[in-house]
Amino acid sequence: MIPYSKQQIFQKDIFFVNKVLKSNFLSKGPMIIKFENKISKFVEAKYSVTTNSGSSALHLACIALGVKKGDIVWTVPNTFAASANCALLCGANVDFVDIEKDTFNIDVIELEKKLIIAKKKNKLPKLVIPVHHSGQPVEQKKIWKLSKTFNFKILEDASHSLGASHYGEKVGSCRWSDITVFSFHPVKIITTGEGGVITTNSKLYYDKIKQFRENGIIFEKKKFIYKSLHPGYYEHHSPGYNYRMSEISAALGLSQLTRIKQIIRERNKITEEYRKELKSYPVTFQKIRRYNLSSFHLTVIKIDFKKTKKKFNEIFEIFRKKKIFVNLHYMPLHLSPFFKKRGFKKKQFPVAENYSEVALSIPNYPGLKKKEFFLVINII
Ligand SMILES: *Cc1c(COP(=O)(O)O)cnc(C)c1O
């Protein structure tokens, strides 16, 4: 079978994981610290906190940003449920901003329009969660500027975009945001099995994220409210979660991170080859802005159904029958049973809805064989 994306495991990865399995620490050991330091260095942010998933990372980020019951949080409709769940779990109300037709990312003009209306109604969002769709950074500078005018925080859902950059600045540096979150699910750029990481330049957010990742427990002596009673002393300051990554996962991540440049290069190359091969076909690709480097977690084709005889579902099924697991990223989130029950309707975000009727993520991952590549081309 050929999936739309998958992990690539080398002998070196197995060696790293093996070493951890035979060591004293499977949790809370040196690998986590090493991996977090390497991530900080790679994205050029001050702080990194690893987690057991990208979803839990998003949840911790919302907690750190102080998202509470009654707050308003905006994201895009063409995203995974986790981009909204993180805010819902904090008791916030989620609303959406439509995407751009050609980049598949949040439409900054729509965002500004919606902010102007929200300001008049006194219903401005506390937080906006843009998603770097497929690995292409959103218009970070412009969103940052709007956040200063309309006073909202920015949490980047960068699950797709480890290694991507905007005006030469790495996604995750938080130059134009408050917090960034990455996912290490096996289909993403690098994997830890399941896992995620949060990056920020704020010590305040960093401390809060760590506290809530560790069951609300404080291990730092200078933050103790009471006197340290014995060498193993710690303090419970709030409720929290166990959202920690294991040493086994961190070792895999460390090993994978050493190849990131090569992975990004390969994902870009495969997309470029699809573009060349499909030049004369009724399909369009995501527009990549000249100041962006995409990590191409996904390669998406939009099919021009005015020029084909087959319907979307038929094309989907032809691929699936040949064991090529193309997919749609994503069904419009505002039309899920959950959000529909809360009053969201069809035609509310027409660009994202249209996207979901014509877009297919086709196989792109390091190690995709020539034979597999041409099988996909032939079916198209
Ligand atoms: C993968 C993904 C997540 C969450 O990732 P997990 O690590 O699977 O929890 C969140 N948002 C987007 C857009 C994703 O693609």
Side-chain angles (χ1 to χ4, degrees):
M1 82 166 228
I2 308 173
Y4 71 87
S5 180
K6 70 169 177 185
Q7 74 280 8
Q8 185 181 44
I9 302 294
F10 284 179
Q11 208 52 43
K12 185 181 154 193
D13 301 322
I14 295 167
F15 175 78
F16 259 66
V17 170
N18 242 322
K19 233 169 84 173
V20 168
L21 285 172
K22 290 175 189 157
S23 76
N24 285 324
F25 296 98
L26 296 188
S27 170
K28 294 185 84 163
M31 288 298 155
I32 290 290
I33 304 197
K34 252 190 177 164
F35 188 38
E36 288 176 349
N37 287 339
K38 279 271 155 76
I39 290 283
S40 295
K41 209 167 152 205
F42 178 68
V43 304
E44 294 169 39
K46 271 198 189 136
Y47 307 103
S48 294
V49 184
T50 49
T51 56
N52 56 3
S53 75
S55 304
S56 55
L58 284 166
H59 188 200
L60 288 176
C62 280
I63 293 169
L65 289 163
V67 176
K68 287 187 303 288
K69 195 171 157 68
D71 285 340
I72 298 166
V73 175
W74 292 356
T75 186
V76 283
N78 67 332
T79 189
F80 185 53
S83 318
N85 283 345
C86 55
L88 295 169
L89 287 169
C90 293
N93 295 313
V94 169
D95 198 354
F96 302 92
V97 180
D98 211 347
I99 57 165
E100 289 179 326
K101 201 174 157 194
D102 52 357
T103 67
F104 317 157
N105 275 338
I106 187 167
D107 186 332
V108 180
I109 295 168
E110 285 298 315
L111 173 63
E112 186 170 13
K113 274 195 219 157
K114 199 173 168 107
L115 285 164
I116 291 167
I117 296 167
K119 192 175 177 185
K120 279 185 194 144
K121 292 187 182 161
N122 209 10
K123 281 195 162 173
L124 280 170
K126 177 173 203 162
L127 173 67
V128 174
I129 309 178
V131 181
H132 305 301
H133 196 282
S134 304
Q136 167 165 236
V138 297
E139 290 298 291
Q140 298 189 70
K141 275 191 191 180
K142 289 181 187 163
I143 299 171
W144 182 244
K145 229 173 132 188
L146 287 173
S147 79
K148 295 300 154 211
T149 310
F150 293 94
N151 195 29
F152 59 85
K153 297 273 195 314
I154 301 169
L155 165 57
E156 293 173 66
D157 183 342
S159 296
H160 299 184
S161 58
L162 186 69
S165 59
H166 185 64
Y167 290 101
E169 188 88 22
K170 282 261 167 60
V171 169
S173 76
C174 298
R175 166 128 182 230
W176 301 291
S177 73
D178 297 283
I179 298 181
T180 304
V181 161
F182 298 98
S183 164
F184 300 131
H185 180 280
V187 296
K188 304 287 162 71
I189 306 300
I190 65 167
T191 191
T192 60
E194 295 276 5
V197 72
I198 303 159
T199 65
T200 185
N201 295 314
S202 155
K203 177 81 163 65
L204 197 78
Y205 296 150
Y206 172 70
D207 285 345
K208 223 169 169 191
I209 288 162
K210 284 202 39 162
Q211 178 180 333
F212 280 84
R213 182 186 66 171
E214 305 272 352
N215 296 89
I217 287 167
I218 301 286
F219 295 97
E220 228 181 311
K221 201 170 167 182
K222 63 173 195 275
K223 289 209 179 125
F224 289 162
I225 290 166
Y226 302 136
K227 244 198 334 227
S228 171
L229 300 175
H230 54 78
Y233 182 79
Y234 59 77
E235 281 183 353
H236 174 230
H237 282 196
S238 71
Y241 304 86
N242 175 359
Y243 277 170
R244 282 191 304 272
M245 177 180 277
S246 78
E247 286 283 294
I248 306 163
S249 292
L252 181 54
L254 261 171
S255 175
Q256 295 244 314
L257 190 60
T258 61
R259 304 201 292 276
I260 181 121
K261 278 197 184 136
Q262 193 185 316
I263 292 169
I264 303 290
R265 219 179 297 128
E266 200 163 338
R267 283 182 171 278
N268 270 271
K269 192 165 158 254
I270 290 167
T271 305
E272 211 34 60
E273 280 170 9
Y274 274 126
R275 268 187 217 272
K276 266 192 228 150
E277 289 294 333
L278 297 173
K279 222 173 187 162
S280 54
Y281 290 75
V283 297
T284 48
F285 286 81
Q286 183 182 27
K287 178 183 171 182
I288 306 296
R289 295 230 155 86
R290 65 188 156 73
Y291 41 79
N292 282 339
L293 171 71
S294 174
S295 52
F296 281 109
H297 156 57
L298 300 173
T299 299
V300 176
I301 53 168
K302 287 204 330 191
I303 301 161
D304 183 353
F305 284 97
K306 283 192 208 97
K307 292 183 186 157
T308 63
K309 290 197 184 107
K310 296 233 169 359
K311 294 199 174 72
F312 185 73
N313 288 355
E314 288 176 287
I315 292 177
F316 217 105
E317 267 163 33
I318 291 167
F319 274 111
R320 289 277 170 118
K321 271 204 190 111
K322 303 254 178 193
K323 295 218 162 18
I324 299 173
F325 287 79
V326 295
N327 219 334
L328 163 64
H329 299 94
Y330 297 87
M331 290 183 273
L333 191 54
H334 67 287
L335 299 179
S336 74
F338 177 85
F339 280 112
K340 259 190 151 171
K341 242 193 306 188
R342 274 149 192 82
F344 288 95
K345 288 188 176 65
K346 259 199 160 152
K347 305 226 165 77
Q348 225 175 327
F349 303 103
V351 184
E353 288 171 36
N354 173 266
Y355 171 91
S356 74
E357 286 158 9
V358 300
L360 275 183
S361 307
I362 56 177
N364 181 0
Y365 47 86
L368 180 75
K369 296 187 183 74
K370 266 243 135 61
K371 214 175 94 187
E372 297 168 329
F373 173 82
F374 281 107
L375 187 57
V376 176
I377 297 288
N378 282 339
I379 291 172
I380 293 172

